[in-house]
Amino acid sequence: MSKLDRLDALLDARDLRSVWFARPNDFAWLTGGNNVIDREGDVGVAAAGYDGEVLRVITNNIEAPRLRDEELPDEVPVTEYDWYEKSLTERVTEVAKTPAGADFDVPDFESVDASSLRQPLTPEDIDTYRALGQETAAAVEAICRELEPEDTEREVASAVRGALDSRGIETPVALVGGSERAQKYRHYTPDDSKVGEYALVSVTAERAGLHASLTRTVAFDPPEWLESRSRAAARVEATALTATQRVGMEGGTGSEVFSEIRSAYEQVGHEGEWKNHHQGGAAGYAGREWIATPTTDADVRLPMAFAWNPTVQGAKSEDTVLVTEKGMEILTETGNWPTEAVSAVGGDGAIPRPTVLQS
């Protein structure tokens, strides 16, 4: 089903005449363009609307030329208004066919949560995702190969952001944990601590609205347990991926995958570790479209990207993987990082997972 087909179904189901999207991830999903100027805002500078016939964009006269020239397909008309006369919300209210819905606050409009519309991925989404995943992994791995024990976490994070920015990729999340802080915290926001014996580098990157997440581990003089804990986390991740495909084909929910994850932790000798950090979930036009919990009722829909991120104290395994009914494709893979085949707990076959890079 195409994106406009999904919007047609939404209009019919909720008896609406138009629907409007101004949140950056929804705008990007629908138009392929970027409506962000201020990263701190929840709503962008333009709104995309659909009335069952025409997809159009409304923005102010400051942004209209750039959106026409650089962000939007030629077939998407842009209506502009003078920035000093009214707000985006006011202009949408004036032109929208009503009753209407929106993903941002518009008086008398129904609220629309677009996450379900963004799932599953379309073929065009998947093509864009492949390029994002490969470029993100290449940038992160290149920085990781240059790490030294005396580097600070903040220096590494800055280098990662710079490498991604040079590729036109934003970095909503850049975590770097050296050997001391990676053992203490699951979200190792970088500070001036030195990397030391080893480092975990975890990134969520975004381009064209899509998000790719991965973690890489580099070791210089690692603790003796690092390899075994990394492998345990990788087995939990492999179990999550295998369960995701099965549950998706059966029409199940995220809680069913989570049940397999919790069991896998017990089987690899780390019962209860799941309580110390979220395990990830579906990825796409958000870092996580949903996060699996014991009660998650979100449907596992295929084809879809998934970023599972199990941790065992001081170790983590994470990549963004396209899961379809026919198989799996690791999107954040370059072929230039050491891997090993890791089997799911209680499952057949194996999935290549990154190992610790000994530097």
Side-chain angles (χ1 to χ4, degrees):
M1 183 183 292
S2 72
K3 295 178 181 180
L4 294 187
D5 288 339
R6 297 178 196 182
L7 294 183
D8 286 331
L10 172 70
L11 295 176
D12 289 342
R14 298 183 58 171
D15 197 23
L16 300 174
R17 295 186 64 202
S18 66
V19 62
W20 296 82
F21 302 96
R23 292 186 178 275
N25 51 352
D26 296 336
F27 186 90
W29 168 75
L30 185 55
T31 70
N34 182 2
N35 70 344
V36 176
I37 298 298
D38 182 355
R39 281 280 166 188
E40 292 187 349
D42 293 330
V43 176
V45 295
Y50 178 68
D51 62 5
E53 296 181 359
V54 177
L55 173 65
R56 62 189 298 191
V57 166
I58 291 177
T59 191
N60 62 49
N61 62 305
I62 303 172
E63 309 303 334
R66 180 182 61 83
L67 292 178
R68 288 193 187 99
D69 293 345
E70 299 180 352
E71 298 292 346
L72 299 171
D74 292 339
E75 64 269 20
V76 176
V78 177
T79 300
E80 61 183 272
Y81 61 91
D82 291 330
W83 67 268
Y84 51 85
E85 289 190 345
K86 54 180 60 78
S87 68
L88 178 63
T89 298
E90 290 169 334
R91 186 56 177 150
V92 168
T93 302
E94 290 176 350
V95 304
K97 293 181 180 180
T98 56
D103 72 343
F104 62 114
D105 189 15
V106 182
D108 299 322
F109 281 28
E110 292 188 21
S111 178
V112 173
D113 182 350
S115 179
S116 61
L117 295 171
R118 303 193 300 254
Q119 303 173 62
L121 298 173
T122 67
E124 294 76 17
D125 290 335
I126 292 170
D127 287 342
T128 302
Y129 229 142
R130 287 190 176 109
L132 170 65
Q134 290 171 9
E135 290 183 48
T136 298
V140 172
E141 290 175 3
I143 298 300
C144 285
R145 289 184 180 278
E146 299 298 321
L147 295 191
E148 298 290 345
E150 295 300 308
D151 293 337
T152 69
E153 295 171 350
R154 206 184 306 276
E155 289 170 342
V156 177
S158 178
V160 167
R161 290 191 183 98
L164 289 167
D165 185 65
S166 70
R167 293 166 167 82
I169 300 172
E170 299 285 343
T171 316
V173 178
L175 304 178
V176 180
S179 54
E180 178 182 349
R181 296 179 70 250
Q183 297 177 55
K184 295 173 62 177
Y185 311 116
R186 304 296 164 128
H187 285 155
Y188 24 84
T189 54
D191 70 6
D192 289 327
S193 299
K194 293 182 179 180
V195 166
E197 297 174 341
Y198 79 99
L200 301 182
V201 179
S202 300
V203 168
T204 295
E206 178 270 325
R207 185 171 64 192
L210 290 166
H211 293 68
S213 299
L214 75 158
T215 293
R216 295 293 182 264
T217 306
V218 180
F220 306 97
D221 183 21
E224 60 182 14
W225 48 259
L226 180 61
E227 185 175 339
S228 63
R229 291 186 190 179
S230 298
R231 184 177 296 110
R235 289 201 69 197
V236 175
E237 186 190 12
T239 303
L241 289 166
T242 301
T244 297
Q245 185 180 44
R246 176 182 57 77
V247 171
M249 293 175 66
E250 294 173 352
T253 65
S255 63
E256 296 174 60
V257 180
F258 187 86
S259 178
E260 298 287 339
I261 292 172
R262 182 163 54 183
S263 177
Y265 271 107
E266 181 178 357
Q267 295 299 314
V268 299
H270 295 279
E271 182 178 4
E273 268 290 289
W274 60 269
K275 296 178 181 179
N276 297 316
H277 186 244
H278 80 76
Q279 302 302 304
Y285 284 89
R288 300 293 187 273
E289 293 283 7
W290 50 260
I291 290 175
T293 71
T295 59
T296 298
D297 60 1
D299 293 331
V300 178
R301 303 170 67 184
L302 306 179
M304 194 66 196
F306 292 86
W308 299 107
N309 48 251
T311 61
V312 177
Q313 186 180 14
K316 184 177 183 180
S317 186
E318 178 185 28
D319 266 308
T320 303
V321 181
L322 175 67
V323 181
T324 73
E325 292 188 359
K326 295 182 178 179
M328 302 180 198
E329 177 184 346
I330 302 171
L331 297 173
T332 46
E333 179 182 55
T334 63
N336 296 320
W337 192 270
T339 63
E340 66 175 344
V342 176
S343 60
V345 172
D348 297 326
I351 299 171
R353 304 307 309 120
T355 59
V356 177
L357 178 67
Q358 300 287 339
S359 183

